[in-house]
Amino acid sequence: MDAVHEVSGRAIPFGLKNVDTDVIIPAKWLKTITRDGMGQGAFETLRANPDNLFDSPEFKGSPILIAGDNFGCGSSREHAAWALLDLGITAVIAPSFSDIFSGNAFKNGILTVVLPQQAIDRLMEVARTDPVTIDLEHQTVTTPFQDRFPFEIDPFRKHCLLNGLDEVGLTMARGDAISSYEDSARTAMPWLAHPHLHQGEHAA
Amino acid sequence: MATRPRTLYEKIWDAHVVERREDGTCLIYIDRHLVHEVTSPQAFEALRLAGRPVRRPDLTLAVPDHNLPTTARRDAQGKAIPIADLESAQQLAALERNAPEFGIRLIGDADAEQGIVHVVGPEQGFSLPGATIVCGDSHTACHGGLGALAFGIGTSEVEHVLATQTLLLKQSRTMEVRVEGDLGPGVTAKDVVLHIGGLLRASGGTGYVIEYTGSAIRGLSIEGRLTISNMAIEHGARAGLIAPDDKTFAYVKGRPYAPNGAEWDAAVAWWRSLATDPGAKFDKVVVIDAADIVPSVTWGTSPEDVVPITGTVPAPEDFADPSKQDAARKSLEYMGLEPGQKLTDVEIQNVFIGSCTNSRIEDLRAAAKVLKGRTKASNVRWAVVVPGSGLVKQQAEAEGLDKVFIAAGFEWREPGCSACLGMNPDKVPAGERCASTSNRNFVGRQGPGSRTHLVSPATAAASAIAGKLADVRELAES
């Protein structure tokens, strides 16, 4: 994963609430076995309208998306994060995110920035004409008009993003701790530690 | 740690901590990993590229479900019928290749045990109370109906679990949703969870794990509890939980992967000890009177858009929040509904009985009970029953339910996710309405332009007969 320090540029003033992952990437685009090319299907229904923001000359390829409450709700499909990346979006600012989506975004190096609705309203206004800057190191969102909105981020996620760390590799390095947990679970909860397939008495 | 009263969630969490970091993040051990064909190919590919094995293939089970056609899969000679959609076929083939390559058991399309992964897990005893269970699918919350901590994960997390059998997680806040009292006639688990969704809204559970408690929840069968927990994600909660009790143990006992002998006794003793301690604090408590719940239906494009079947379509101005007003306007336009319209006047063209929410034997029995001796209305173009698994299908056929459905004008299909999300050929055409026992009424969910009304199996059956969304209680009285 590439390291992320700052995301700066035009921000799409989208603003919609409860944007589910079926809207971000409809199910028919999930039949792939690679991570590439999802941008084509991103926001397909909305982009059927020729006047949509995503394809407007002004916002096409913008690195930031500003959305409403509960962004990324619904399905766990990571394809939603891949679709955003393929559109060029590397940061989303919203009042709240679904838990699964924010995890998926983080694992793909997409910054999810939580700000109060008031700040979102102001950024939506600025975004129509001017760029927005997200500084991960200092945890701020700023505009050319002296706006400065601080945001919170999980310190571990911040560390991983700033250093471009591979979480699977990090956890594999803790193999001994995992083995020692498995050893104790084998005694304490053997039915969980070792499932045995045997002839059942039940049908459905 | 043991001195402070703890919730069910906290007890399962504490039993699975491999390591606790300074910032509170924990490395959590995963007991069971269910894998299906849609969200796993990229995870297996990443393992292959990095030369990493699957740490515990014995704790992993692969089941195809999303893409499989629900029409016959074998011809008269027992030969596989090729899948017309090449992308679907390619994704299914990838799972069939990946599972044996990494030493994982695959319950394939020709096996009697195949079905929707969230139906198969509990049915096989692979999902157990007190276990941590994950799957690259948000409706993994379903398994919480057994008292398991179960939640959906993305593909990067699927890769993480395959490689390490753990996940790095922050503990969630806890919410108790207590439903007290007796459910009225015609009111099912689905109506309860739709009602809860209407109260909590689509994001009310974000950041929480919900424990459903109270006499109405305890009174439900395991099938009903799985239905409730399944839709925890529709209120934003990553997981739902229902404390395991004697009903749970009776359900689990004797299933293929369930413990037996001395291990069974030890397991039951541990499962009993998991119940939330008296005095344990939830971060939020919501109390609902079961008497307030009636058969429910959605009118819009978010699972929070719930009204009683006796109600009317709301107007955008009925909502205080300006952004919700805007969303309601868009939903009404998409759904082709007018404010003030009675729900029971809304004509439907399709009925779908199935999905990980409502495709278990009890769901099929409830629908068949309503349909027995009746037929679907002529304006209902497509009515279909998709059992949750091959074993559910066998059981239903042994009880003669298939004959009731077919006599009522329904199609009787092979198991899979089907029209819940239309990744296979089962779709609702643009502009048409579907009374659906699934879990999401999102824009385009059942096919581009499809209009979904979420209902219980009994309401779906009653609606098929009426040709309109219908109050099952009126039908029962006639």
Side-chain angles (χ1 to χ4, degrees), chain B residues 141-388:
Chain B
C142 191
H143 310 255
L146 294 174
L149 177 57
F151 49 90
I153 56 178
T155 298
S156 293
E157 288 170 312
V158 170
E159 179 193 343
H160 195 277
V161 176
L162 288 171
T164 71
Q165 206 56 35
T166 64
L167 278 176
L168 265 176
L169 296 168
K170 264 234 157 80
Q171 204 163 346
S172 301
R173 286 172 289 172
T174 55
M175 186 191 301
E176 179 187 22
V177 174
R178 196 188 315 150
V179 189
E180 292 288 2
D182 296 324
L183 297 176
V187 180
T188 69
K190 182 63 166 290
D191 301 300
V192 174
V193 76
L194 287 173
H195 182 89
I196 294 170
L199 290 176
L200 288 182
R201 322 300 299 177
S203 61
T206 304
Y208 290 92
V209 164
I210 297 178
E211 183 177 343
Y212 301 93
T213 67
S215 57
I217 301 291
R218 282 198 304 278
L220 292 172
S221 65
I222 297 306
E223 285 85 351
R225 294 178 188 183
L226 292 166
T227 298
I228 299 269
S229 198
N230 178 277
M231 289 187 69
I233 186 69
E234 308 316 327
H235 350 303
R238 207 165 171 180
L241 280 166
I242 295 170
D245 59 10
D246 287 335
K247 273 189 207 173
T248 320
F249 312 146
Y251 175 92
V252 172
K253 195 173 169 63
R255 294 196 179 264
Y257 281 103
N260 55 11
E263 276 192 12
W264 171 259
D265 297 334
V268 170
W270 186 61
W271 295 338
R272 280 194 202 287
S273 76
L274 293 175
T276 294
D277 294 324
K281 289 270 182 294
F282 289 92
D283 295 306
K284 189 173 177 182
V285 177
V286 176
V287 181
I288 295 167
D289 183 349
D292 292 342
I293 307 174
V294 297
S296 298
V297 56
T298 61
W299 58 268
T301 57
S302 166
E304 70 180 28
D305 298 335
V306 177
V307 283
I309 187 68
T310 49
T312 56
V313 175
E317 306 78 62
D318 295 348
F319 301 95
D321 174 2
S323 72
K324 183 65 197 175
Q325 289 183 0
D326 190 36
R329 235 170 257 122
K330 288 196 175 85
S331 289
L332 289 175
E333 195 192 331
Y334 180 82
M335 293 296 291
L337 294 172
E338 296 294 331
Q341 204 174 345
K342 282 186 67 171
L343 267 303
T344 48
D345 286 341
V346 175
E347 281 202 15
I348 54 164
Q349 296 78 38
N350 303 271
V351 178
F352 171 61
I353 297 177
S355 88
C356 57
T357 313
N358 280 130
S359 63
R360 295 175 189 83
I361 189 67
E362 182 186 276
D363 300 314
L364 304 194
R365 285 178 189 143
K369 194 175 159 200
V370 174
L371 289 169
K372 192 161 184 153
R374 295 178 163 117
T375 51
K376 71 176 173 70
S378 58
N379 60 298
V380 174
R381 192 187 53 77
W382 189 55
V384 64
V385 185
V386 182

Side-chain angles (χ1 to χ4, degrees), chain A residues 144-162:
Chain A
F145 308 100
Q146 316 305 316
D147 296 292
R148 187 175 178 280
F149 303 107
F151 64 89
E152 294 296 319
I153 183 167
D154 178 86
F156 175 72
R157 284 190 178 179
K158 179 178 175 178
H159 172 73
C160 286
L161 286 167
L162 285 174

Side-chain angles (χ1 to χ4, degrees), chain A residues 16-18 20-23 27-28 30-35 38 45 69-70 73-79 82 96-100 103-104 107-108 154-156 166-169 171-172 174-175 177-179 181-182 186 189-204, chain B residues 15-19 21 23 27 29 31-32 41-42 52 55-56 58-59 67 85 87-88 91 105 131 136-138 152-157 160 163-164 166 168 170 202-203 206-207 238 250 253-260 263 266-267 270-271 321 323 330 391-392 421 423 440 442 445:
Chain A
L16 211 63
K17 208 175 148 165
N18 286 336
D20 58 69
T21 51
D22 276 77
V23 165
K28 70 168 186 188
L30 309 187
K31 296 182 185 182
T32 158
I33 54 172
T34 67
R35 297 177 189 232
M38 298 276 159
T45 314
D69 207 20
N70 203 23
C73 62
S75 154
S76 64
R77 58 188 70 163
E78 194 159 318
H79 310 68
W82 303 334
S96 73
F97 292 90
S98 99
D99 293 335
I100 300 179
N104 286 341
K107 288 179 169 64
N108 287 278
D154 178 86
F156 175 72
D166 158 26
E167 207 183 293
V168 176
T171 304
M172 286 187 81
R174 305 303 304 151
I178 300 171
S179 296
Y181 174 90
E182 284 175 329
R186 211 164 284 143
M189 302 181 288
W191 60 90
L192 283 181
H194 285 289
H196 300 292
L197 184 60
H198 50 81
Q199 199 52 49
E201 297 148 18
H202 275 277
Chain B
H16 289 87
V17 174
V18 173
E19 277 189 319
R21 294 167 193 253
D23 66 357
L27 194 60
Y29 198 79
D31 296 317
R32 299 288 184 268
Q42 293 88 349
R52 291 166 174 164
R55 184 179 175 95
R56 291 294 301 269
D58 59 327
L59 302 183
N67 280 280
D85 182 328
E87 287 182 304
S88 284
Q91 210 165 45
R105 182 183 170 205
D137 188 281
S138 61
I153 56 178
T155 298
S156 293
E157 288 170 312
H160 195 277
T164 71
T166 64
L168 265 176
K170 264 234 157 80
S203 61
T206 304
R238 207 165 171 180
K253 195 173 169 63
R255 294 196 179 264
Y257 281 103
N260 55 11
E263 276 192 12
W270 186 61
W271 295 338
D321 174 2
S323 72
K330 288 196 175 85
L391 295 183
V392 169
L421 83 168
M423 280 191 77
R440 289 192 174 130
F442 295 158
R445 173 79 178 182

